[in-house]
Amino acid sequence: MTTSEKALVIFSGGQDSTTCLLQAIATYGHENVQTISFAYGQRHAIELERARWIAQDLGVKQTVLDLSLIQGITHNALMDNTAKIETADNGLPNTFVDGRNALFLLYAAIYAKSQGIKHIIVGVCETDFSGYPDCRDVFVKSMNVTLNLAMDYAFQIHTPLMYLSKAQTWELADKLGYLEYVREHTHTCYLGVVGGCGECPSCVLRNRGLEQYLASKSK
């Protein structure tokens, strides 16, 4: 089913945002979908390279914004390739970037309004998330209200993966006909290893979810 309404997908080139992009294309049509990606000083370039390749391959417009100024005011392992990835005493992974999703949603909304787009799609998830407070449903809903008030515009922020496990996210990609595409072309590894290191928290979560889905599918 397609619609004449337009959507903007916050797009990193990872499993989650790519699955969201594929679903958006199925819902709104190629011609009504755009992506927005952010260079914020992440520790490896492969993420943006994957995003660029996938956007071109799927035939959707990509806009890349430079938000690297955030490096000057906060520090974390996701933007420091010398830092060891670990969990702090408070239970929060040191890969958490303070304010990142708030910034992403703000800039995505500003761009969306300029394009006449009301639907903003982001692949955050509460079910299998890494303890990041800005992946919670309550945050996204509050940000939706704030952006609508700030710009007097009827934004609708969609989080299609919010309550899905990683296995269910793989299932969604499969139902869309893109299981192998997501498996082969997306990048999730925190360490920037092509094909994944298999050991960082992101790789473990991704691989475990895939194993669970494939096991359930074979029953």
Side-chain angles (χ1 to χ4, degrees), residues 151-206:
M151 287 180 254
D152 193 22
Y153 195 73
F155 294 111
Q156 295 181 43
I157 301 178
H158 302 274
T159 55
L161 310 184
M162 181 57 74
Y163 297 112
L164 300 187
S165 67
K166 266 294 182 276
Q168 290 171 320
T169 301
W170 283 111
E171 181 182 13
L172 176 57
D174 199 9
K175 286 180 177 178
L176 290 166
Y178 282 92
L179 176 66
E180 290 306 318
Y181 187 93
V182 172
R183 189 174 181 177
E184 181 178 348
H185 296 301
T186 63
H187 177 84
T188 306
C189 180
Y190 282 154
L191 301 181
V193 177
V194 177
C197 70
E199 298 178 358
C200 75
S202 187
C203 281
V204 169
L205 194 61
R206 172 184 170 123

Side-chain angles (χ1 to χ4, degrees), residues 95-111:
T95 49
F96 175 62
V97 183
D98 282 316
R100 180 177 64 167
N101 284 343
L103 273 178
F104 286 2
L105 286 167
L106 171 61
Y107 280 95
I110 294 170
Y111 178 77

Side-chain angles (χ1 to χ4, degrees), residues 3-4 6 14 29 31 39 46 51 54 65 67 102 156 184 193 195 201 204:
T3 173
S4 60
K6 296 186 288 186
E31 69 280 5
I46 186 174
I54 292 169
L65 295 187
L67 296 185
Q156 295 181 43
E184 181 178 348
V193 177
V204 169

Side-chain angles (χ1 to χ4, degrees), residues 9-108:
V9 180
I10 296 178
F11 187 52
S12 70
Q15 174 193 355
D16 293 342
S17 65
T18 301
T19 302
C20 287
L21 174 58
L22 293 165
Q23 185 185 56
I25 291 171
T27 303
Y28 300 93
H30 283 87
E31 69 280 5
N32 294 318
V33 175
Q34 293 189 41
T35 66
I36 189 166
S37 304
F38 301 99
Y40 59 91
Q42 50 267 64
R43 62 193 281 169
H44 46 77
I46 186 174
E47 183 177 285
L48 286 173
E49 291 170 0
R50 288 286 86 200
R52 185 180 303 109
W53 187 91
I54 292 169
Q56 290 177 349
D57 187 61
L58 294 177
V60 295
K61 179 181 177 181
Q62 181 195 33
T63 297
V64 181
L65 295 187
D66 182 2
L67 296 185
S68 58
L69 76 167
I70 196 174
Q71 289 178 288
I73 56 175
T74 188
H75 179 266
N76 55 79
L78 211 57
M79 301 189 304
D80 180 357
N81 58 15
T82 66
K84 180 182 179 182
I85 294 174
E86 55 192 6
T87 301
D89 293 338
N90 64 1
L92 194 63
N94 66 348
T95 49
F96 175 62
V97 183
D98 282 316
R100 180 177 64 167
N101 284 343
L103 273 178
F104 286 2
L105 286 167
L106 171 61
Y107 280 95

